[in-house]
Amino acid sequence: MRRLATQFNSYVLTLVLVAAAFASHAQTTAPVPTATSEPRDVSYCELSRNPAAFNHQLVRVTGFVTHGFEDFQFSEPPCPTQGFSIWIMYGGRAESGTVYCCPGEGGHKTRSEPLRIEGVQLPLSEDANFRRFRALIEKEHDTTIHATLVGTFFSGEKRESNGYTFWAGMGHMGCCSLLVIQRIVSFQGHTRKDLDYSAEAGSNVNVDCESGTERSIRGVSAAYGEDRDAQTIEQQQNADQGKSAWAFKDPERVALDALKSHYPDQNLDLHIIKDTPTRKVYRWKHSDHEVTVVVLRPYWLAFYATSESVVWVATTIKEADCGTE
């Protein structure tokens, strides 16, 4: 998982140990959900503010599922929450096939026994909704899906290091709290041709030169849950109100506008290297450096639009040191 792997890099060994301890640790005082339990309606923001209050609770929550390499998460972009992320697993015997550490579920579709965590057996309703949801994820290896889920929430352990607080124990490198899906209530199919459904949002774009000194300057995605997501929603709202309607139809201007704050007083001579109806990739070379900008229309942003259109957004800016030519 890209953001979390970077954010918690200094805690990798600790988190792997936490993951092992968390998986075997039973909190016997917590209520145990049953197949007939009524789920508790909750938002992602509520979970993030007090994870322990919902530990072992059967919850119903609506938001965005992101899936890809080292990524099977649940999030809500308008709610940036430092130190809190939710990893997803299927209950029952179903596995997602997600590649992550450790050991991950890559290459597997079923487990030998129904999932049990912290002494709680976690069933799964493998109904038509689940089958369609799973098929969409398997078809689109890197994707974002808006869904309402019912599942059991595991808070993980509250950890502190150098004044930084985070919740950990499950997922890639023990990154996250956990939501075990037990029923797919509903989800939106991917029918719009004008939107980019990816979760990586351009973060995997290749560069032409040496990438050993590559640095990320900007990242916007439903998977990241950072302050830039709120800024992106504001950009959509401004365009909807007519304040910056050009953002609906001028992706190059969007790219230039995003670069100006990082490279003031520079001659930004952009060249387009990828051009599709939903994604544009621009490149600018200066001195020995190469800057790549990815501009797209994010699917998740449609849920915060009051118009039928989604603005172009500079989701990724990368700079690479190419060395002396």
Side-chain angles (χ1 to χ4, degrees):
M1 186 168 45
R2 296 170 296 278
R3 174 177 63 89
L4 289 165
T6 300
Q7 189 177 19
F8 298 131
N9 187 49
S10 62
Y11 309 128
V12 165
L13 179 58
T14 299
L15 294 178
V16 171
L17 296 174
V18 169
F22 180 45
S24 61
H25 175 65
Q27 299 182 20
T28 57
T29 59
V32 178
T34 67
T36 58
S37 298
E38 183 64 23
R40 182 176 178 180
D41 288 312
V42 65
S43 70
Y44 177 90
C45 291
E46 288 174 305
L47 289 171
S48 72
R49 285 193 288 266
N50 191 0
F54 299 94
N55 190 40
H56 284 205
Q57 292 283 315
L58 186 70
V59 299
R60 178 168 42 227
V61 63
T62 298
F64 294 92
V65 174
T66 60
H67 185 266
F69 178 67
E70 297 180 348
D71 176 17
F72 197 18
Q73 299 177 78
F74 183 86
S75 62
E76 186 179 353
C79 187
T81 50
Q82 187 179 46
F84 177 78
S85 298
I86 297 178
W87 192 264
I88 295 174
M89 296 178 72
Y90 299 140
R93 296 176 182 269
E95 292 199 351
S96 66
T98 309
V99 176
Y100 67 94
C101 180
C102 290
E105 301 179 19
H108 303 290
K109 287 192 175 183
T110 60
R111 53 179 66 94
S112 59
E113 298 291 336
L115 184 65
R116 181 183 292 270
I117 295 177
E118 296 189 344
V120 182
Q121 186 162 317
L122 301 154
L124 171 68
S125 176
E126 297 192 43
D127 57 10
N129 269 357
F130 173 75
R131 292 193 296 270
R132 288 192 293 266
F133 179 88
R134 191 180 194 181
L136 180 56
I137 281 183
E138 291 177 352
K139 177 184 176 183
E140 301 178 6
H141 301 294
D142 171 55
T143 195
T144 306
I145 304 172
H146 190 260
T148 298
L149 312 173
V150 168
T152 301
F153 176 74
F154 296 89
S155 64
E157 295 187 5
K158 186 177 182 179
R159 311 284 295 182
E160 293 186 6
S161 179
N162 298 322
Y164 181 81
T165 300
F166 57 98
W167 291 81
M170 285 294 182
H172 178 56
M173 305 300 288
C175 62
C176 312
S177 298
L178 176 70
L179 178 67
V180 176
I181 296 176
Q182 293 175 240
R183 180 162 60 93
I184 306 292
V185 178
S186 63
F187 69 97
Q188 187 183 79
H190 291 174
T191 58
R192 291 184 59 168
K193 304 300 183 183
D194 61 325
L195 302 177
D196 186 298
Y197 290 94
S198 72
E200 55 85 26
S203 62
N204 293 334
V205 67
N206 293 323
V207 296
D208 282 343
C209 56
E210 292 294 330
S211 59
T213 56
E214 178 184 303
R215 68 186 182 104
S216 176
I217 297 174
R218 179 184 177 91
V220 178
S221 170
Y224 300 163
E226 296 177 350
D227 291 339
R228 289 195 183 98
D229 291 345
Q231 296 170 7
T232 301
I233 293 171
E234 184 179 1
Q235 291 171 10
Q236 176 70 43
Q237 292 170 341
N238 287 338
D240 286 338
Q241 296 166 10
K243 298 177 183 178
S244 54
W246 52 266
F248 288 124
K249 56 185 178 181
D250 195 343
E252 183 172 352
R253 182 175 174 181
V254 170
L256 288 167
D257 194 57
L259 283 172
K260 285 177 182 177
S261 61
H262 301 286
Y263 302 94
D265 304 320
Q266 294 274 357
N267 180 23
L268 302 172
D269 184 18
L270 297 185
H271 299 275
I272 192 163
I273 61 172
K274 182 174 182 178
D275 187 357
T276 75
T278 62
R279 179 178 294 212
K280 318 290 182 184
V281 181
Y282 299 93
R283 188 156 286 159
W284 167 55
K285 293 186 178 181
H286 68 107
S287 297
D288 296 329
H289 293 78
E290 173 186 281
V291 178
T292 302
V293 188
V294 180
V295 182
L296 51 83
R297 290 190 172 109
Y299 157 72
W300 65 266
L301 192 54
F303 291 83
Y304 306 98
T306 57
S307 66
E308 294 182 358
S309 299
V310 171
V311 295
W312 289 98
V313 177
T315 56
T316 297
I317 301 177
K318 286 184 176 183
E319 183 182 76
D321 185 353
C322 299
T324 304
E325 296 183 356

